[in-house]
Amino acid sequence: MTILEHQGRPVAALLHDPAVLDDPGLVQGVASAAQLAAANARLRAEVQVQVEELAASRRRLLEAA
């Protein structure tokens, strides 16, 4: 098992087939790919929150006008 962390906090765990552990490069590659996917998901969520905040701000401006 490989624990993935973000800013020192665990965010995911990868469970490996025991045969994978014989190739440290493969384990590192899979961990890197998973970290990129997690970072992408986190960034998409942050952007979605910003889009929703912007839409709410625009609605308030229209209502005030």
Side-chain angles (χ1 to χ4, degrees):
M1 179 170 58
T2 300
I3 303 296
L4 302 180
E5 296 181 350
H6 175 68
Q7 298 179 342
R9 294 179 27 217
V11 294
L14 301 176
L15 299 178
H16 306 284
D17 183 291
V20 171
L21 298 177
D22 293 337
D23 185 349
L26 181 57
V27 172
Q28 181 58 40
V30 169
S32 293
Q35 286 176 325
L36 286 172
N40 187 31
R42 187 174 50 256
L43 290 171
R44 285 178 178 262
E46 289 175 12
V47 167
Q48 183 60 38
V49 167
Q50 291 174 350
V51 167
E52 291 169 4
E53 289 173 352
L54 178 60
S57 174
R58 287 181 176 169
R59 280 191 299 275
R60 288 190 301 273
L61 287 171
L62 288 172
E63 289 171 1

